[in-house]
Amino acid sequence: MILFLAGTSDARALAISLMEAGHELLTTVVTENAAMELRKAGLKVYVGRLTNEDFVRMIKEQGFQAVIDASHPFAEEASKNASTAAKEVRVPYIRYERESQTHEGKGVMIVDSYALAAEKAFEKKGVIMLTTGSKTLQVFTEKLLNQPDIRVIARMLPRKDNMEKCELLGFPQRDIVAIQGPFTKEFNKALYNQYGVTTMVTKESGKVGSVDEKVEAAKELGIETIVIKRPKINYENQYSSFADVLAYINKVVITNKTNNG
């Protein structure tokens, strides 16, 4: 059995591919909404955030043969907890990560952190649209909210906890766009025009994260873009294709069966 960190659309697709190949999985996600999609596909799901200790306990108690980490490219804590636990319990750890993309060009600024993105947005002023999610929203509100010559629009998933966080941070309701993508370039352009956006902030999440559509829409409208680079983590056994993950897992399962046989 495999412990599988899911949560994104490509992670769900990979989990289904592994299940169809005959592997038994327990998928883990943070939200009930993400769990619903996995259950529809016939996958077993655990809902909740897991610490390093939680991962160790689960691997030992349920006898997982491997850990596949297909969490979001920016889910640093989850990846570190899973990889550390796998190493401690001595089971293979496999990282699936969608391919990285470069978004260089006129009007595009690449930065290394959320804090630096907030600093650069502050310097630009105007109407700033955040498409970076709610987890790091406070980094931006501390720097940008209630500042003269700055309006901040936050685009995020329509979840109750997101709205509660916005309220706690004093984020105006009129400046919240609670909606779930992926979105086309045309939709992004319409949204930018609706709010008169002058700067868009996003993360380098990869093609599956629809970053291209956001950036290209901004370029066509002459809107400046700030792109936050992925965290630099040296993963062991990292792949960006389903076939490579499946090949590695098949090898692990056969080896385990041979050793236990």
Side-chain angles (χ1 to χ4, degrees), residues 105-120:
K106 186 178 178 181
V108 178
M109 178 184 293
I110 312 295
V111 298
D112 291 323
S113 67
Y114 293 97
L116 191 54
E119 182 65 41
K120 295 300 180 183

Side-chain angles (χ1 to χ4, degrees), residues 174-226:
R174 68 180 181 277
D175 294 336
I176 301 170
V177 181
I179 194 166
Q180 182 165 358
F183 305 115
T184 62
K185 182 174 68 175
E186 289 70 26
F187 181 92
N188 282 302
K189 287 172 73 172
L191 201 58
Y192 298 156
N193 282 326
Q194 174 68 28
Y195 286 94
V197 175
T198 57
T199 299
M200 188 270 292
V201 185
T202 190
K203 300 183 293 189
E204 198 286 283
S205 300
K207 190 167 184 62
V208 181
S210 300
V211 180
D212 277 358
E213 288 79 0
K214 289 188 244 183
V215 175
E216 290 305 314
K219 281 183 179 179
E220 289 187 14
L221 294 175
I223 294 169
E224 295 190 79
T225 301
I226 300 171

Side-chain angles (χ1 to χ4, degrees), residues 120-131:
K120 295 300 180 183
F122 176 80
E123 293 172 5
K124 292 180 181 296
K125 311 295 184 189
V127 181
I128 299 158
M129 176 169 281
L130 304 175
T131 65

